[in-house]
Amino acid sequence: MNHYSVKAYGAESAETDLLPLQIDRRTVTNTDVKIDILYCGVCHSDLHFAKNDWGMTQYPVVPGHEIVGRVVEVGSKVSKHKVDDIVAVGCLVDSCRTCQNCKNDLEQYCPEWVGTYGGYDKHLETNTHGGYSETIVVDEAFVLSVPENLDLAGIAPVLCAGITTWSPLRHWNVGKDSKVAVVGLGGLGHMAIKLANALGAHVTLFSRSKGKIDDAKKLGAHDVVISTDEAAMEQVMGKFDVIIDTVPYVHDLNPYVNTLNTNGTLVVVGYLGPLDPMLVTVPMIMGRKSVAGSLIGGIAETQELLDFCGEHNITSDIEVIKIQDINSAYERMLKSDVKYRFVIDMSSLKS
Ligand code: NAP
Ligand code: ZN
Ligand code: ZN
């Protein structure tokens, strides 16, 4: 397969910082779109992957799956996008397209889904590489259209932080009368607050950080409960229909299950792995409560969210950084010190 080399930033091992690399991109096939990357959001999953927290990283890894850019070339059969369009790419760049999940617009649950980074690129027969790079080449079926009225840097986090919280909000039918809680005010958490609020729900934030109360209210939370305050937790027992838990590391889910209403669901989108302490089933059985998980969202649902953001003028609250600052951004993200998503201005990669 013909390919060319582009500048990127990535990690060569779990122990080393991200640094400049050269990677290959394929030349466009009939159905491909070549995108000059303008902005790329920084997700906590990028950090987990670079540090091999999930034990599956193959190096080198070039993270980044919140990509906004300009189309610079299209293949001969591409009909959805044209040169100069502003487009976006999220966490998926391919899937089998024939299984039941693919047919149901749930490509994220396809057994053969290809991640934007760390997946298998069948064209180049290597790992896929993400958005911390100059350009990306993606099949048009996985390239999304960006509403014209929105800030391009601010829309980038919608491609992962947004869709990961939107998909469960929609699946569990959140609407005007819903009582929703969000655990953790970071990238995913702040989008969850904005989106649940825009859907008309009553929104509560659970946070460890008293310093985030005012921000949470500005973002659209009606209430904030400090999760380390037992009396405050007691006051919201049995209250919520849906809880979106975005905490990235192992933590006790039991106090949150207690705050679910009858038939309520706690949706874990953050931590991936065994629970410690274990789940106590008593409140689940006594109140028909569920603990569930959810992975990003499909392509059609991501386009639905981008359009919803266009209609409701929703973007992420961001701090724009240069790619050269990515390692200190990771350190700050580990301390929950970001308001509320870093987005890389990818023009910095050219300098
Ligand atoms: P983030 O910006 O770092 O935010 C995480 C928030 O969780 C923090 O701001 C903090 O909020 C809270 N938190 C952090 N460490 C904690 C701890 N040890 N105990 C309790 N609370 C803690 O991360 P993100 O980008 O939103 O990502 C969140 C998680 O979702 C990551 O694990 C990421 O890999 C995962 N993710 C999953 C999917 C999916 O499809 N399911 C997609 C994208 C990302 P407070 O200060 O308010 O407590
Ligand atoms: Zn992500
Ligand atoms: Zn499939």
Side-chain angles (χ1 to χ4, degrees), residues 43-45 48 54 160 164 184-189 206-209 212 246-249 251 269-271 294-296 333 336 338 340-341:
C43 180
H44 207 110
S45 301
H48 286 308
W54 297 326
C160 177
T164 301
L185 183 53
L188 269 58
F206 286 115
S207 176
R208 306 163 301 170
S209 315
K212 293 183 182 175
T246 75
V247 173
Y249 299 99
H251 60 290
V269 294
Y271 172 66
S294 186
L295 178 67
I296 48 174
M333 189 156 59
S336 304
V338 47
Y340 278 90
R341 196 62 147 185

Side-chain angles (χ1 to χ4, degrees), residues 99-248:
C99 74
Q100 204 53 49
N101 284 325
C102 286
K103 285 184 187 154
N104 291 342
D105 290 325
L106 294 169
E107 299 87 356
Q108 74 275 31
Y109 301 118
C110 170
E112 293 173 37
W113 73 279
V114 180
T116 304
Y117 58 83
Y120 179 69
D121 184 332
K122 66 183 178 208
H123 302 275
L124 294 175
E125 298 178 345
T126 59
N127 290 332
T128 52
H129 290 304
Y132 299 1
S133 57
E134 283 177 291
T135 64
I136 191 164
V137 177
V138 180
D139 189 287
E140 71 162 332
F142 289 80
V143 178
L144 297 140
S145 302
V146 174
E148 281 174 10
N149 56 319
L150 297 178
D151 174 62
L152 296 186
I155 199 76
V158 170
L159 276 304
C160 177
I163 186 61
T164 301
T165 52
W166 176 255
S167 187
L169 290 172
R170 298 284 284 156
H171 181 74
W172 276 277
N173 297 314
V174 164
K176 259 205 339 245
D177 298 321
S178 310
K179 291 194 170 55
V180 172
V182 174
V183 190
L185 183 53
L188 269 58
H190 95 289
M191 288 309 296
I193 291 175
K194 287 187 183 213
L195 296 173
N197 181 298
L199 287 168
H202 184 278
V203 188
T204 300
L205 171 72
F206 286 115
S207 176
R208 306 163 301 170
S209 315
K210 282 191 187 141
K212 293 183 182 175
I213 294 175
D214 289 346
D215 280 359
K217 295 208 166 151
K218 282 187 205 133
L219 290 163
H222 302 95
D223 295 316
V224 179
V225 174
I226 298 302
S227 50
T228 48
D229 178 343
E230 279 180 28
M233 292 296 283
E234 191 78 24
Q235 276 188 354
V236 288
M237 286 264 284
K239 180 162 180 189
F240 302 110
D241 303 313
V242 177
I243 303 176
I244 310 285
D245 184 334
T246 75
V247 173

